[in-house]
């Protein structure tokens, strides 16, 4: 935190003892909050508390208590993932801003509009959007957006990664990511082993670095730039903040910031797996994941040519930096051979000797004693990296020390201005740690005869000389081109500055506003809106099987299945890679008398709305909404079509369920992070008949914008030039333990990596029926017709009471050659 403040951060985000995605970090205590926020505000810095995990129903009381502490400490904003927690925060802490975490996967304007209705005041967009796509989002929404500009890249969309949960029972949505994407994976192409020359870390992206494009983001109207800092040290924080502060100041002057070679070296030394612009510059599947290594490597120096007992001969890359700034005795170095099975060669530099003849200064011997190097041949093309530097660390300490001594100059004022011809002019001012004030000129405003000067508002509202304030952001909500008299706006600015000064100088030590007892109120309100169940018939409460099919052959197997004593499926979901198969799938279902629903994209990006609209035009019986865009489109355009919120929306508590239902959801699928006790706790506060419970599935682990097919089976950068190898090949990954993970492609050319080991809740079905759950989903992956029929019959028999759930589980365990798991429900 000191490092961030010292180098000019406008805000810092940090976690407390619970509900934050930094489970392994030391974190802060909520007891420290008043002191922390006082320090930040005196330093003219905003403080954001990260409450960016899912919260279970039995934890909402604790969350409410924590929100009260946050409000009383005058925290500026919280960062949230959970819909229910956002609802609770809006009521408990009305003066605290709510920032939607990237874990909410808000990637397009419809979802952002719904989030704003929920009370969200800023949204952190997914890292997978390009600058062009960000521009389209910003243009279509009035919700301020925040963009990641530096740090680690998750290969999966944030909030859509269930890998740690599937493999080890550790939920990334609860801050317990096991970094499975950083592990080595083998690759099978159409069942045959594929030896990948580049390296086995096929899911480990390079780190994001984008100082050269900050001016572009500023021109788009991006409100905030975010530096990822999870589990990083002060050297990283200081170096990155220092760099991006320079980039921001250059953007204010309409200039592009280009770091010097020395500044790039510092960024690499602070922490780097190698840098790329990520998705900001658009898709490039050939560059995002080289696959050589998963760990921080520091600054690249060159390639290793030879070795002897305790030394290596390296040819350094060409660089404008002199040798003494690139490598010194005492520096740490490591050799990257691209071989995870070999022990790495590295250590401290003891001496540097010229290794070339004549003027070849780039060829140097580097002594790494005192111990001998491992007695083996070096891999050709091994890369030498500088991982640590005493002079760098000392330089950063001096930056921090000097930065903390320098007094902070001003408090930035964020302005909002509203009005239209014929009405009053309203201006509001907000300063972190001081508060919000507003004033009004009754006018009325007249219509302007010509377009206003684009810099007019900045010039008038920025006239803050002689005050302890500076110009922050301006939110212009003027409509229909009113004429704003400069003298009136100047007077309003002076009045607001005077108001702020009175608040600042007379501000008491009274805590911020908190509203305890809100949880009970929200639950009572949700309960009052639910219909009573007294009139339900036996048919309406009868358990129903729903099947999700991924191929037309599976659809045929389901629609052809008949059993004289068992009911047919109540609904058939179509989850196809190729949306052109939706129409024949619907026809097959309807010809058999079976209702059919469509499961469109998991993630919708700007420009992809047509894929959702295509599903709408086919008028299915239901839609499986995997994002807010799908939910909103169907609710507005086809309210008669049943809407089911899928597990990708991460509904794990009753407040989230209530919010979904208030937006027209007929049923919802519980998130996969719940164990049995947590699920039962949620059931006490919801309508169980609204639940569509997933009884059988192969867990979708990673959902990623990075295409393994394009990256490994083509030379293409994107779907535009890859040749679509996914149409003729199938990739399966495997890990060192022998577990297999099929990779499927959706209609947006995104990949989903599945766990081939199926998850079954068959043993829990009788109890779930007793608790009032009526809808049970069986998800297919790559099953053929016979396996499809066997699964369908097995689960239908259990729900009809003709077979025990434990009996089906034992039978499935024998039949599933890749294994079977009980999933999260059995975890304590």
């Amino acid at each position: 935190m000191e490092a961030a403040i010292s180098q000019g951060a406008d805000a810092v985000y940090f976690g407390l003892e619970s509900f934050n995605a930094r489970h392994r970090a030391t974190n802060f205590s909520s007891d420290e909050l008043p002191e922390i926020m006082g320090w930040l505000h005196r330093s003219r810095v905003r403080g954001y508390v990260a409450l960016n995990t899912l919260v279970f129903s039995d934890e909402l009381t604790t969350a409410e208590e924590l929100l009260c502490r946050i409000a009383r400490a005058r925290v500026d904003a919280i960062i949230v993932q959970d819909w229910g927690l956002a609802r609770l925060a809006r009521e408990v802490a009305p003066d605290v801003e709510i920032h939607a975490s990237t874990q909410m996967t808000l990637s397009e304007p419809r979802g952002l509009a719904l989030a704003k209705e929920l009370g969200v005041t800023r949204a952190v967009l997914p890292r997978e959007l390009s600058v062009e796509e960000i521009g389209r989002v910003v243009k279509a929404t009035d919700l301020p957006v925040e963009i990641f500009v530096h740090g680690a890249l998750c290969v999966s969309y944030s909030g859509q990664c269930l890998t740690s949960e599937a493999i080890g029972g550790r939920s990334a949505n609860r801050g317990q990511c096991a970094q499975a994407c950083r592990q080595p994976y083998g690759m099978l192409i159409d069942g045959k082993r594929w030896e990948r020359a580049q390296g086995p870390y096929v899911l480990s992206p390079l780190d994001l670095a984008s100082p050269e494009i900050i001016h572009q983001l500023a021109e788009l109207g991006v409100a905030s730039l975010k530096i990822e800092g999870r589990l990083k040290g002060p050297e990283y924080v200081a170096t990155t903040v220092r760099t991006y502060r320079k980039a921001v100041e250059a953007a204010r002057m309409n200039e592009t910031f280009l770091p010097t070679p020395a500044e790039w070296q510092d960024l690499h030394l602070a922490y780097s797996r190698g840098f790329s612009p990520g998705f900001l510059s658009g898709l490039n599947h050939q560059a995002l994941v080289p696959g050589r290594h998963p760990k921080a490597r520091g600054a690249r120096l060159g390639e290793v040519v030879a070795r002897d007992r305790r030394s290596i001969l390296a040819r350094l890359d060409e660089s404008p930096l002199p040798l003494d700034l690139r490598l010194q005795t005492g520096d740490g170095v490591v050799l990257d051979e691209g071989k995870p099975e070999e022990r790495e060669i590295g250590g401290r530099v003891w001496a540097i000797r010229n290794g070339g003849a004549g003027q070849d200064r780039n060829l140097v011997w580097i002594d790494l004693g005192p111990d001998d190097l491992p007695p083996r041949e070096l891999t050709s093309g091994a890369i030498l990296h500088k991982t640590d530097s005493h002079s760098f660390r000392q330089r950063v300490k001096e930056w921090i020390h000097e930065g903390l001594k320098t007094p902070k100059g001003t408090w930035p004022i964020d302005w909002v201005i509203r009005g239209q011809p014929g009405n009053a002019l309203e201006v509001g001012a907000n300063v972190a740690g001081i508060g919000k004030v507003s004033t009004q000129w009754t006018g009325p405003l007249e219509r302007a005869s010509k377009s206003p000067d684009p810099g007019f508002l900045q010039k008038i509202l920025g006239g803050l000389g002689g005050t302890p304030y500076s110009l922050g952001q301006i939110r212009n909500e003027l409509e229909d081109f009113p004429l704003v008299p400069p003298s009136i706006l100047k007077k309003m600015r002076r009045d607001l500055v005077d108001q702020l000064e009175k608040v600042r100088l007379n501000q008491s030590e009274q805590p911020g506003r908190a509203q305890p007892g809100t949880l009970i109120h929200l639950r009572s309100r949700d309960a009052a809106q639910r219909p009573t169940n007294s009139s339900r018939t036996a048919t309406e409460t009868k358990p129903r099987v729903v099947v999700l099919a991924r191929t037309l052959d599976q659809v045929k197997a389901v629609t052809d299945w008949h059993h004289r004593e068992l009911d047919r499926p109540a609904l058939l979901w179509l989850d196809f890679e190729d949306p052109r198969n939706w129409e024949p799938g619907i026809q097959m279902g309807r010809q058999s008398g079976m209702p059919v629903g469509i499961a469109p994209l998991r993630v919708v990006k700007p420009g992809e709305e047509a894929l959702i609209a295509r599903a709408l035009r086919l008028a299915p019986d239901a839609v499986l909404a995997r994002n807010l865009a799908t939910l909103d489109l169907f609710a507005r355009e086809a309210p008669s079509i049943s809407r089911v919120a899928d597990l990708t929306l991460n509904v794990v508590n009753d407040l989230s369920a209530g919010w979904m239902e208030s937006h027209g959801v007929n049923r919802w699928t519980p998130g996969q992070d719940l164990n049995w006790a947590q699920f039962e706790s949620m059931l006490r506060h919801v309508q169980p008949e609204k639940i569509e419970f997933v009884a059988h599935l192969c867990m979708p682990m990673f959902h990623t914008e990075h295409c393994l097919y394009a990256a490994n089976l083509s030379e293409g950068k994107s779907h535009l030039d890859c040749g679509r190898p996914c149409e003729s090949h199938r990739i399966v990954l495997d890990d060192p333990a022998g577990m297999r993970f099929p990779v499927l492609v959706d209609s947006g050319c995104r990949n989903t990596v599945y766990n081939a080991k199926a998850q079954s809740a068959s043993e829990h079905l009788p109890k779930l029926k007793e608790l009032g759950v009526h809808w049970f989903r069986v998800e297919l992956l790559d099953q053929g017709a016979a396996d499809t029929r066997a699964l369908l019959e097995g689960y239908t028999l259990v729900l009809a009471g003709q077979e025990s759930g434990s009996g089906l589980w034992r039978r499935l365990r024998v039949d599933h050659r890749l294994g079977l798991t009980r999933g999260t429900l059995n975890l304590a």
Side-chain angles (χ1 to χ4, degrees):
M1 194 172 280
E2 285 186 343
I5 293 171
S6 73
Q7 301 308 301
D10 297 303
V12 296
Y13 63 106
F14 56 96
L16 301 177
E17 59 264 25
S18 56
F19 307 126
N20 79 85
R22 292 149 194 83
H23 182 77
R24 289 183 292 144
T26 304
N27 291 309
F28 293 86
S29 165
S30 58
D31 293 334
E32 301 174 90
L33 266 180
E35 179 184 353
I36 292 169
M37 292 310 304
W39 172 35
L40 289 173
H41 289 160
R42 288 191 300 274
S43 302
R44 319 294 197 263
V45 176
R46 289 164 62 85
Y48 305 153
V49 170
L51 298 178
N52 52 345
T53 66
L54 298 182
V55 180
F56 303 133
S57 288
D58 58 1
E59 298 172 328
L60 287 172
T61 300
T62 302
E64 181 179 34
E65 294 169 354
L66 187 57
L67 284 168
C68 287
R69 287 189 166 205
I70 287 169
R72 291 172 182 137
R74 298 186 181 275
V75 169
D76 296 294
I78 56 172
I79 306 172
V80 300
Q81 172 187 11
D82 190 279
W83 315 107
L85 184 63
R87 281 185 73 192
L88 188 62
R90 181 179 60 184
E91 304 287 340
V92 173
D95 297 329
V96 178
E97 293 182 20
I98 300 173
H99 294 181
S101 167
T102 188
Q103 296 276 120
M104 279 190 173
T105 326
L106 297 172
S107 55
E108 45 64 52
R110 284 184 181 272
L112 290 168
L114 284 180
K116 185 178 179 181
E117 289 181 23
L118 182 61
V120 167
T121 57
R122 179 189 294 179
V124 184
L125 298 185
R127 297 171 177 89
E128 287 79 2
L129 297 186
S130 67
V131 170
E132 179 188 358
E133 290 164 338
I134 291 167
R136 294 168 74 172
V137 170
V138 171
K139 190 175 181 179
T141 181
D142 59 356
L143 190 67
V145 301
E146 183 168 294
I147 303 298
F148 277 97
V149 294
H150 194 97
L153 283 175
C154 301
V155 75
S156 179
Y157 272 89
S158 295
Q160 304 300 316
C161 183
L162 296 171
T163 311
S164 299
E165 185 74 79
I167 295 177
R170 295 170 51 179
S171 171
N173 287 325
R174 299 276 290 172
Q176 299 171 340
C177 174
Q179 299 280 299
C181 55
R182 305 297 180 186
Q183 302 304 310
Y185 291 92
M187 188 177 291
L188 297 153
I189 309 289
D190 301 328
K192 296 181 180 179
R193 179 67 56 187
W194 177 273
E195 296 299 334
R196 190 175 186 274
Q198 299 94 321
Y201 298 98
V202 297
L203 296 174
S204 181
L206 297 174
D207 289 344
L208 170 64
S210 59
E212 310 101 321
I213 64 173
I214 299 308
H215 68 290
Q216 297 179 42
L217 297 175
E219 289 171 0
L220 293 178
V222 168
S224 177
L225 309 176
K226 186 165 191 171
I227 297 172
E228 180 272 334
R230 184 175 307 176
L231 297 173
K232 302 295 198 302
E235 293 86 3
Y236 169 88
V237 173
T239 306
T240 53
V241 172
R242 183 183 182 88
T243 301
Y244 287 90
R245 182 80 266 165
K246 293 178 181 179
V248 167
E249 296 310 315
R252 290 186 191 277
M253 304 298 293
N254 295 317
E255 297 175 356
T256 300
F257 174 67
L258 299 175
T260 65
E263 288 170 328
W264 273 117
Q265 179 172 260
D266 284 347
L267 285 171
H268 279 286
L269 286 173
Y271 193 96
S272 166
R273 297 180 177 91
F275 287 137
S276 88
F279 295 100
L280 287 171
S281 58
L283 293 175
N284 187 345
H285 297 308
Q286 301 302 321
L288 184 71
V289 185
R292 286 186 64 95
H293 56 77
K295 298 184 290 188
R297 280 293 189 255
R300 175 184 162 121
L301 291 173
E303 293 190 5
V304 178
V305 177
R307 59 157 290 176
D308 62 17
R309 183 179 170 190
R310 295 179 180 173
S311 305
I312 56 174
L313 179 64
R315 181 172 298 280
L316 304 183
D317 297 334
E318 292 291 337
S319 172
L321 294 176
L323 178 60
D324 61 344
L325 291 183
R326 300 176 67 194
L327 189 64
Q328 300 174 347
T329 56
D331 288 349
V333 296
V334 68
L335 275 65
D336 171 20
E337 299 181 81
K339 290 184 175 181
E341 70 278 4
E342 298 282 6
R343 183 170 71 87
E344 289 183 341
I345 294 176
R348 293 285 172 185
V349 175
W350 280 51
I352 305 169
R353 299 178 279 116
N354 185 15
Q359 300 300 312
D360 193 353
R361 289 186 168 273
N362 286 335
L363 198 62
V364 296
W365 279 102
I366 302 170
D367 299 337
L368 296 178
D371 298 328
D372 291 352
L373 301 178
R376 57 180 171 81
E377 292 292 324
L378 289 179
T379 303
S380 176
I383 300 171
L384 180 66
H385 293 270
K386 175 178 172 179
T387 59
D388 184 42
S389 164
H390 173 74
S391 62
F392 164 70
R393 285 186 280 109
Q394 187 59 38
R395 189 163 62 251
V396 174
K397 287 181 180 178
E398 292 172 1
W399 292 346
I400 296 172
H401 178 71
E402 292 300 317
L404 291 173
K405 286 197 310 183
T406 304
K408 304 299 177 183
T410 58
W411 282 279
I413 300 178
D414 292 334
W415 300 92
V416 59
I417 181 168
R418 303 184 182 94
Q420 60 186 50
N423 292 335
L425 177 66
E426 298 178 25
V427 181
N430 180 30
V431 176
I434 296 176
K436 300 177 182 179
V437 294
S438 62
T439 188
Q440 184 183 83
W441 176 61
T442 56
L445 290 165
E446 298 177 1
R447 183 179 294 277
S449 60
K450 59 180 181 179
S451 298
D453 177 5
F456 170 71
L457 293 180
Q458 287 88 340
K459 181 179 178 181
I460 301 296
L461 296 177
L464 296 165
T467 76
Y469 301 100
S470 60
L471 180 64
Q473 299 173 14
I474 299 175
R475 194 164 80 240
N476 184 351
E477 297 184 4
L478 296 171
E479 301 178 21
D480 299 331
F481 303 106
L483 176 64
V484 178
S487 60
I488 297 298
L489 187 57
K490 288 179 181 179
K491 183 178 184 304
M492 297 175 79
R493 182 201 69 211
R494 289 193 292 268
D495 289 345
L496 289 172
V497 169
D498 288 343
Q499 288 186 50
L500 286 169
E501 277 296 271
K502 287 179 182 177
V503 173
R504 183 175 74 88
L505 296 173
N506 300 314
Q507 197 170 50
S508 69
E509 295 299 318
Q510 294 298 316
R513 186 164 54 124
Q515 303 286 351
T518 296
L519 178 59
I520 295 174
H521 168 69
L522 286 175
R523 281 177 166 164
S524 298
R525 193 164 69 194
D526 285 350
Q529 293 173 351
R530 296 178 193 136
T532 60
N533 299 329
S534 57
S535 61
R536 290 187 175 274
T537 65
T539 301
E540 290 175 312
T541 58
K542 190 175 184 179
R544 298 169 173 85
V545 173
V546 176
V547 179
L548 184 143
R550 290 192 164 91
T551 67
L552 287 174
D553 287 342
Q554 291 172 348
V555 171
K556 187 175 188 308
V558 173
T559 55
D560 286 350
W561 180 78
H562 293 274
H563 193 291
R564 63 181 183 178
E565 297 179 2
L566 301 175
D567 291 334
R568 302 179 74 211
L571 180 66
L572 174 62
W573 290 119
L574 306 180
D575 185 6
F576 292 157
E577 176 181 331
D578 188 345
R580 291 173 296 184
N581 288 331
W582 285 343
E583 193 164 3
I586 289 175
Q587 290 174 352
M588 291 168 65
R590 289 181 174 164
Q591 286 171 1
S592 71
M594 188 177 296
V596 182
I598 291 178
L601 292 171
R602 292 179 184 272
V603 174
V604 178
K605 295 174 70 177
E608 296 179 344
E609 295 85 354
L611 289 170
I612 309 300
R614 178 174 186 156
L616 182 69
R617 289 194 301 272
L618 293 174
D621 298 293
V623 63
L624 191 60
R626 290 163 161 172
N627 49 67
L628 295 186
T630 304
L631 178 61
D632 183 63
L633 179 64
F634 274 77
R636 293 178 184 273
E637 304 294 333
S640 62
I641 294 176
S642 180
R643 296 171 296 283
V644 180
D646 200 10
L647 57 87
T648 52
L649 284 167
N650 290 318
V651 178
V652 298
N653 63 60
D654 51 288
L655 295 187
S656 294
W659 186 70
M660 291 289 170
E661 291 172 17
S662 72
H663 284 78
V665 166
N666 302 94
R667 294 192 305 280
W668 48 273
T669 308
Q672 288 293 306
D673 300 274
L674 294 157
N675 65 30
W676 182 258
Q678 293 154 352
F679 182 71
E680 274 196 306
S681 175
M682 182 173 65
L683 277 179
R684 289 194 288 270
H685 303 286
V686 301
Q687 292 175 278
E689 63 271 20
K690 290 274 191 178
I691 292 174
E692 184 169 305
F693 184 87
V694 181
H696 186 101
L697 85 163
C698 289
M699 185 81 84
M701 302 196 314
F702 299 107
H703 187 64
T704 174
E705 194 72 28
H706 177 59
C707 182
L708 288 162
Y709 290 86
N712 294 282
L713 300 180
S714 84
E715 296 181 358
K717 295 182 178 180
S718 72
H719 64 283
L720 298 175
D721 59 358
C722 70
R724 297 191 66 83
C726 57
E727 294 182 350
S728 54
H729 298 285
R730 275 292 171 259
I731 291 178
V732 175
L733 303 180
D734 61 356
D735 66 9
M739 296 179 67
R740 295 200 169 184
F741 312 102
V743 183
L744 300 188
V745 182
D746 71 10
S747 54
C749 289
R750 287 180 272 280
N751 289 185
T752 304
V753 181
Y754 288 87
N755 188 358
K757 181 183 288 188
Q759 175 176 308
S760 173
S762 62
E763 294 168 312
H764 294 280
L765 298 189
K767 181 64 173 177
L768 287 165
K769 285 170 54 184
E770 290 179 17
L771 293 171
V773 178
H774 299 159
W775 296 82
F776 298 89
R777 188 194 306 168
V778 175
E779 291 200 4
L780 305 173
L781 184 63
D782 54 3
Q783 288 87 350
D787 289 339
T788 295
R789 289 191 294 268
L791 275 178
L792 176 54
E793 183 167 318
Y795 281 96
T796 307
L797 283 168
V798 172
L799 291 171
Q802 298 184 29
E803 182 176 358
S804 70
S806 56
L808 175 61
W809 201 91
R810 288 192 296 270
R811 184 155 56 83
L812 290 174
R813 189 177 185 184
V814 172
D815 294 342
H816 281 65
R817 53 189 173 79
L818 293 175
L820 189 70
T821 176
R822 292 180 173 89
T824 57
L825 284 183
N826 275 53
L827 296 176

